[in-house]
Amino acid sequence: DNRIHNNVNRDKSPSCKVSSVIRPIKILLKTAEGQDEEEEEWHPRDPAETTPQLLSGLWFQIAQAGGMSKGESVTVLYPSMEEQLNQQPPKLLGSLLAHLDYCKDVCDHFGITTTLAPHKDSKSGKIIGFTAKSFRNPKSFDNGDSDGDDDEYKFDYDPIWDDGTDFDNLYKGVDDEDLAKDPYPEIVNRVPDDDEKIIDTTKQWVQRLMSDLGICPFSPSATQAGLPIGPVFYEVSRASTVEDMYAKYWEEVVRVEQQSEKDLSTTLLVTPEFFMDNVELFESFCNTLTQPLTTLNVEDLLQLVFFHPHWSFRDGGDRATQGQAANYARRSPWPMINILRTKQVRAAQKGIPTGLVYKQNEKTLDQVGVHDLETMLRLRDWTGLDDKKVNRKEVDALKIAQDVQETGQAQANDRNLANDKTPVANRVVDKKQVEEGDLVTVMCQALEKRLGKSENSTGPVALTGPEMSVTSMASEYLLQALDEIVRNDADSTETTQSPAP
């Protein structure tokens, strides 16, 4: 029997719970005399109870199998998931296997030298776990000239590629002056060895761009974010293979799933050694993370935002151009995956349209300029933004909110409806319509907080950075909508008063 069953020794932190308890499974083996002999087969048990926890366990199995030799395997049982895995029709199992097949397109060894298959109980025939198996032959990586160098692959003759071209010296003799000059400085401390240094630099970037420039309206600081405000969790992964990154990503998803908003509002997973120089491959990988949100019913738990040093928006607008400053809203020192709580994302979307945030960011970043943004990104130094903090009070639409923030009350003229030129008939609005108007609600809540009129209020309270940002953009959007209504009304009046032909 060539089967090798390895124990899974995963981190037993709250984000990645794996039981050390194993149970025997009776199997029948044929002896040399042809007699049935009963033997016990031992497998580790994973206490996964949710889809993210199951995926965390499966990707750990797959990543582990990547280091095995041909014929070796690891089987893990998922007793708490048996009912869902065996339901008819096989909704979870089908979606799960389809997702894993989709991921094979970007994997390093899964689907090539590693497989994953459901493991069935020999008596009941029910799926009780999964087996990851390796078909990797280490000797196949040695072409005889590399002294066992595993990085050298052995290929058969290819008439297209094997035409005598010396690729190592293809550009020999080409002067550096003939190549395009990089107008920007070299990257400082490209990938530090110290994880704390990476986290510290990332926090500086978040503070300067996301918070001080207001690029993320819901991040008052590098350590606090979300609705409601909660701690930001930073994690560094040194994974360089796709399989290892999948395992780490789902481990962090489980962390978000198992901790409360008060303890963890959002997670920034920093991946400094994962597709650092290839944004296209990074995006392909990211697409496989967004795909299961709906198919595996994870969309109610989390939403994702991705960052990369070379990120470019793909919405077909001006931002899609490589040099546009607005791209720096997503250009971070290292590739990053931002794991957001769906509940908080939906609350934010109710407060302000996403498109309006992009528009405001585009305007803000254009004022800084591409050259300065790229230079700061490479030098890991954003002190040049000290005098460029966004002042939301300069927005004309926030005149009342500005009065309230500075003096604690709105100016009498601003609150006097006698100056309101809106026709009386148009001012009669059903209260329900106002309450359902999310942007109007944002404005009302901001005023109530500053005036100390909100529920359970003990007095006037200053608005936080993200609250000011959201209120400002909501007011600007409302004014734009009102201007359009006025223009349409004027056009309608002019058409009505025009003499008939």
Side-chain angles (χ1 to χ4, degrees):
D1 187 357
N2 294 323
R3 287 167 296 186
I4 299 178
H5 303 289
N6 300 315
N7 281 326
V8 180
N9 296 315
R10 278 196 285 165
D11 176 20
K12 297 179 178 60
S13 64
S15 64
C16 194
K17 296 181 179 178
V18 177
S19 173
S20 59
V21 178
I22 55 178
R23 68 179 181 184
I25 297 178
K26 301 291 186 178
I27 60 174
L28 293 178
L29 298 177
K30 292 292 185 180
T31 64
E33 293 78 16
Q35 300 295 321
D36 289 341
E37 182 177 292
E38 194 175 70
E39 183 178 300
E40 290 185 345
E41 184 179 89
W42 295 83
H43 299 303
R45 300 175 66 181
D46 190 309
E49 296 178 347
T50 66
T51 300
Q53 293 171 20
L54 175 61
L55 281 164
S56 176
L58 293 180
W59 279 111
F60 183 84
Q61 280 186 256
I62 294 170
Q64 185 186 33
M68 298 178 182
S69 297
K70 185 176 181 180
E72 294 182 341
S73 66
V74 55
T75 298
V76 178
L77 308 182
Y78 298 89
S80 298
M81 298 297 295
E82 286 183 19
E83 183 176 351
Q84 296 184 57
L85 291 173
N86 290 281
Q87 64 182 187
Q88 294 297 327
K91 183 178 180 181
L92 174 61
L93 182 63
S95 300
L96 188 67
L97 295 179
H99 166 64
L100 293 173
D101 282 340
Y102 181 60
C103 293
K104 291 177 182 178
D105 291 338
V106 298
C107 282
D108 293 307
H109 59 77
F110 181 47
I112 302 173
T113 59
T114 305
T115 63
L116 183 77
H119 179 81
K120 295 183 178 181
D121 182 82
S122 59
K123 293 183 178 180
S124 66
K126 291 184 176 181
I127 298 173
I128 56 176
F130 288 86
T131 298
K133 188 173 184 179
S134 174
F135 292 88
R136 171 179 171 271
N137 183 359
K139 296 182 179 180
S140 66
F141 292 92
D142 185 4
N143 62 10
D145 299 323
S146 61
D147 297 327
D149 187 354
D150 285 351
D151 291 333
E152 295 291 336
Y153 289 85
K154 182 178 181 180
F155 297 100
D156 290 334
Y157 173 79
D158 189 320
I160 296 179
W161 290 100
D162 301 329
D163 58 357
T165 302
D166 185 2
F167 290 98
D168 292 334
N169 297 304
L170 188 62
Y171 295 101
K172 187 176 182 179
V174 178
D175 295 333
D176 291 340
E177 296 180 356
D178 297 332
L179 303 176
K181 292 293 185 181
D182 188 348
Y184 301 106
E186 291 290 331
I187 298 176
V188 174
N189 207 357
R190 180 180 174 84
V191 181
D193 294 330
D194 185 2
D195 287 356
E196 289 301 320
K197 177 61 178 177
I198 291 177
I199 291 178
D200 181 63
T201 301
T202 302
K203 286 183 176 180
Q204 293 179 37
W205 174 80
V206 172
Q207 181 66 48
R208 297 292 187 175
L209 264 78
M210 299 297 108
S211 181
D212 292 348
L213 283 190
I215 299 303
C216 179
F218 309 104
S219 295
S221 71
T223 58
Q224 298 284 309
L227 290 174
I229 298 295
V232 179
F233 180 76
Y234 291 83
E235 178 73 359
V236 176
S237 172
R238 297 286 179 169
S240 59
T241 68
V242 176
E243 288 82 358
D244 285 338
M245 187 54 66
Y246 276 131
K248 182 59 180 177
Y249 162 74
W250 284 108
E251 178 182 329
E252 293 308 317
V253 170
V254 172
R255 189 193 303 274
V256 172
E257 179 185 45
Q258 293 184 338
Q259 296 197 28
S260 68
E261 291 178 306
K262 293 181 179 180
D263 297 326
L264 191 161
S265 177
T266 184
T267 292
L268 272 177
L269 176 58
V270 189
T271 63
E273 298 179 13
F274 187 71
F275 294 144
M276 174 79 167
D277 297 313
N278 196 323
V279 66
E280 287 80 13
L281 287 180
F282 181 73
E283 284 190 78
S284 297
F285 169 79
C286 293
N287 290 337
T288 67
L289 301 185
T290 57
Q291 180 264 349
L293 294 182
T294 300
T295 57
L296 293 174
N297 296 321
V298 190
E299 73 274 12
D300 289 335
L301 170 65
L302 63 96
Q303 298 292 316
L304 302 171
V305 177
F306 307 104
F307 299 87
H308 192 279
H310 307 294
W311 187 274
S312 291
F313 286 102
R314 309 293 184 184
D315 61 357
D318 292 338
R319 288 192 295 269
T321 305
Q322 180 68 19
Q324 291 298 313
N327 290 322
Y328 287 85
R330 292 282 196 90
R331 291 191 180 179
S332 55
W334 300 282
M336 297 194 306
I337 303 171
N338 188 193
I339 305 174
L340 303 160
R341 296 181 184 273
T342 299
K343 178 182 177 181
Q344 295 191 7
V345 172
R346 289 173 179 169
Q349 290 173 340
K350 287 182 179 180
I352 193 70
T354 304
L356 193 58
V357 176
Y358 289 160
K359 182 179 179 181
Q360 178 65 43
N361 290 345
E362 196 168 18
K363 179 180 178 180
T364 300
L365 293 170
D366 279 340
Q367 291 175 349
V368 179
V370 172
H371 186 274
D372 288 350
L373 288 166
E374 180 64 25
T375 299
M376 287 185 281
L377 184 65
R378 294 191 178 203
L379 296 179
R380 314 302 198 213
D381 182 3
W382 295 273
T383 55
L385 298 176
D386 286 349
D387 60 345
K388 294 182 173 63
K389 293 183 180 180
V390 172
N391 186 359
R392 301 295 183 181
K393 293 189 292 182
E394 292 180 354
V395 179
D396 293 337
L398 270 184
K399 183 169 57 174
I400 295 178
Q402 181 177 348
D403 292 339
V404 172
Q405 186 177 40
E406 293 179 350
T407 66
Q409 61 181 358
Q411 298 295 325
N413 290 339
D414 294 335
R415 291 183 287 132
N416 191 351
L417 296 180
N419 297 323
D420 189 357
K421 302 301 183 181
T422 307
V424 176
N426 293 342
R427 289 209 302 265
V428 181
V429 182
D430 183 79
K431 182 179 180 182
K432 182 179 179 182
Q433 292 177 316
V434 176
E435 290 176 346
E436 290 179 350
D438 294 324
L439 299 181
V440 175
T441 301
V442 169
M443 298 290 295
C444 292
Q445 290 175 344
L447 289 172
E448 287 176 353
K449 182 175 181 179
R450 282 300 288 125
L451 291 170
K453 302 295 184 180
S454 58
E455 187 177 355
N456 299 326
S457 174
T458 58
V461 180
L463 298 179
T464 65
E467 288 173 340
M468 277 298 299
S469 175
V470 170
T471 307
S472 171
M473 289 187 287
S475 62
E476 184 177 346
Y477 180 86
L478 286 172
L479 282 183
Q480 292 175 354
L482 290 172
D483 286 340
E484 184 177 352
I485 292 174
V486 171
R487 287 194 299 269
N488 293 339
D489 183 64
D491 293 341
S492 176
T493 302
E494 183 178 348
T495 302
T496 303
Q497 294 178 351
S498 298

